[in-house]
Amino acid sequence: QMQLVESGGSSVQSGGSLRLSCAASGYRAPYYCMAWFRQIPGKEREGVASINFDGRITYAESVKGRFTISEDNDKNTLVLQMNSLKPDDTAMYYCAARPTESCRWPLLMGHFGYWGQGTQVTVSS
């Protein structure tokens, strides 16, 4: 079992930056995929960025060049650094884990067995 707890969401103005963190605890399989998703009311949850157990990183086109996903050295914290934020980035952001499987795009909610509670990001123009 894994537990995921996100933090760092806030309200910022367009062009600003935020750093989201996801604290992971519990069992971590040697092979895994960790990812960030986001969701706005009435729309499907969409994959934003992922990091594979071997360090391979993938981003959604909408955030390339602005967002950076990383893990700390002990791999207990997943981070999403968000720069040059736009109003379209406003959403609830979720951390997700897919133990024993590599990341595959497009990221699908059903592939991830563990989720955090979400952290709200609001970007005003």
Side-chain angles (χ1 to χ4, degrees), residues 4-80:
L4 304 173
V5 179
E6 302 98 333
S7 61
S10 183
S11 296
V12 295
Q13 290 193 328
S14 182
S17 297
L18 280 176
R19 181 181 175 90
L20 304 184
S21 295
C22 172
S25 60
Y27 175 71
R28 175 73 70 91
Y31 303 96
Y32 63 86
C33 171
M34 297 292 294
W36 287 96
F37 284 74
R38 64 187 181 187
Q39 187 173 26
I40 61 175
K43 297 195 73 174
E44 288 191 0
R45 200 168 293 186
E46 65 169 355
V48 174
S50 68
I51 184 165
N52 211 42
F53 64 91
D54 59 2
R56 177 166 47 94
I57 289 173
T58 308
Y59 297 99
E61 284 296 324
S62 59
V63 305
K64 275 184 181 178
R66 300 187 300 120
F67 290 13
T68 302
I69 188 173
S70 63
E71 291 182 294
D72 64 359
N73 287 338
D74 62 11
K75 298 191 176 181
N76 287 334
T77 303
L78 182 71
V79 174
L80 185 68

Side-chain angles (χ1 to χ4, degrees), residues 21 32 45 49-50 58 60 80 88 101 105 109 117 120 122:
S21 295
Y32 63 86
R45 200 168 293 186
S50 68
T58 308
L80 185 68
D88 284 349
E101 295 285 346
W105 281 72
M109 283 184 61
Q117 82 288 353
Q120 178 68 38
T122 303

